[in-house]
Amino acid sequence: MSTPSAPLPEPAVPYPPVRRPAARRTRHPAPAGLLPALALFVAVRAAGVVAVVVTSRLYGRPVTKNLAHSWDSNWYLHIATHGYGHLIWITPTGDVQTDWAFFPLYPTLVRAVTAVLPLSPGGAGLLIAWCAAVAAACGLYAIGHRLYGRAVATALVALWASLPHSVVLTLAYTEPLFAALAAWCLYAVLRERWLTAGVLAALAGLSRPHGIAAAVAVVAAAGYAAWRCRGRVPAGLWVGAVLAPLGWAGYVLWVGWRTGDLLHGYFRVQSAWSSRLDFGRGALRFLKALFLHGGGVVYPLALVVVAAGIVLFGLLCLERAPLPLVVFAGTLLLMVVAVSGPFASKPRFLLPAFPLLLPVALALVRTWRTARARALLLGGTLTAVSLAYGTFLAAVARQPL
C-alpha cells in the first residue's frame, strides 16, 4: 500500500490531539501514567468482586452462580459447550427464544480457553471477561491520554470503573470484551491505523449486537477523512472501512440463513426477546408504567442512567470530541433508546459507551486542580455507591442484568 505522491490539499491527520501539548508526544510503548491508572481500575473492580463474594455468602447463594452463571452468561456458556441450536426457552407469552440471539466471539473464546487450560466454562468466561476489562481500561487510558493528557486519562478510567453498573465488568458477560475491542478500534482510528481499526471493528461486531456501533464509527471516520483529503487517502483506509461491518453483518446473515429468512431471520429471533426497533415507543410505555406503579430501585436508576447518557452525549458534542468517538457513543445511545427490550438492562448496554464520560472526566480534573477535597469526595462517593449498587444487582436483586 502506498500514498499518492501529489501533495494533499489539506492536512493528512483529520483528528489532531485536542488540548494536548506537543511536548506530550512520546515513542514509548505505553503512555505515561498508565500503570497507576490501571492499578486504580483493578483495585476498584477487585473490591467489587470481594463485595459480591461476601454478600453472596451472607445470603447463602452460590458465588459461582452470581459471578459466572447469571442471566445471559448461562446462554453464552451453553453455546461454548454445546454449540448453537441446542437451547430454547418458551416465555409465558409463548415466544420461542433461541440461542441464535447471542453473538459468537465470546463463546468461541471460552471454548478455546477450556481447550488449553484446566478451567470450567464458567472459569474461562470470567478469565476472559477480567482480562478484557483490563485491556479496555488500557484502551480508555490511551485515548484519554492522546486527546487530553495524563490527568484526564486517569479520571476517565476511574470513572468507568466506578459506574453504577460496572459490576458487569467482573461478571461472565460480553460487555468487557466489546468495550476492549471498541476502545482499541477507536484508538486505531485516531492514529489513522485503518486496517487495524477495521479488523477490531469486525471482531467487535462478532461480540455483541451493539458491536455494529464500532463499524459505524470506523466507516464514518473513514468517509470524513476521504472527504477532507478529496479521496487522496491510502488504500488501507478503504480496506478498513470495508472490513469493519463484516463481523456483524456476517453473523446476522448466518442466522438468517439458518432460519430460512436471510435478511429478516436474525431480527425475528431478536423480536422473540422483545428486542425490536420501535423508535422509543417501548421506552415511553416503560416511563408510563414506572410513574403509575413505581419500580423499586433498579428501574428508576436505570432511567436516570439512560437520561444521563443523553445529557452527556450533548456535552460530548459541545466538547467537540473527535468524530469517531461521537459517532460510536451516539450510535450506542441510539440503539439503547430506539430499540425495545428490558429497561433494567439498558445501563449495561451503555457501559461500553465510554466517550460519554469524557466531559465528566474533564470537569473532575478541573475540580481536582481548584478543589482537591471536593474532587476526592465526589470520586469516593461515586465509587462507594457503585460498589454497593453493583453488589446489590449481582448478589441480591432478582431483575436481569
Side-chain angles (χ1 to χ4, degrees), residues 8 106 108 179 228 230 243 279 304 310 313 332 395:
L8 299 180
Y106 182 67
T108 300
R228 281 182 59 109
R230 300 180 185 178
L243 286 175
F279 300 101
V304 170
I310 296 173
F313 179 72
L332 265 181

Side-chain angles (χ1 to χ4, degrees), residues 275-285 333-341 346:
S275 178
R276 60 182 67 89
L277 181 64
D278 66 356
F279 300 101
R281 288 192 295 271
L284 292 177
R285 288 193 296 269
L333 185 61
L334 180 63
M335 294 179 74
V336 168
V337 173
V339 176
S340 63
K346 290 184 181 292

Side-chain angles (χ1 to χ4, degrees), residues 72-87 98-111 121 251 254 273:
D72 288 358
S73 299
N74 288 323
W75 289 83
Y76 283 111
L77 297 180
H78 192 277
I79 294 169
T81 305
H82 303 286
Y84 281 98
H86 298 284
L87 184 61
T98 70
D99 52 16
W100 287 332
F102 298 90
F103 277 55
L105 182 59
Y106 182 67
T108 300
L109 292 176
V110 170
R111 176 175 290 188
Y251 182 71
W254 179 81
W273 289 83

Side-chain angles (χ1 to χ4, degrees), residues 113-183:
V113 170
T114 56
V116 297
L117 294 177
L119 293 174
S120 66
L126 285 177
L127 177 63
I128 293 168
W130 293 353
C131 291
V134 172
C138 293
L140 266 67
Y141 187 89
I143 290 174
H145 188 275
R146 180 175 178 82
L147 296 177
Y148 301 104
R150 177 174 177 172
V152 174
T154 302
L156 179 63
V157 171
L159 287 168
W160 195 59
S162 303
L163 288 176
H165 288 73
S166 58
V167 65
V168 175
L169 299 175
T170 47
L171 305 181
Y173 271 67
T174 57
E175 274 74 16
L177 179 61
F178 171 42
L181 292 168

Side-chain angles (χ1 to χ4, degrees), residues 46-65:
V49 172
V50 171
V52 171
V53 170
V54 171
T55 305
S56 297
R57 293 192 181 280
L58 290 175
Y59 278 80
R61 297 177 182 175
V63 174
T64 55
K65 176 176 175 56

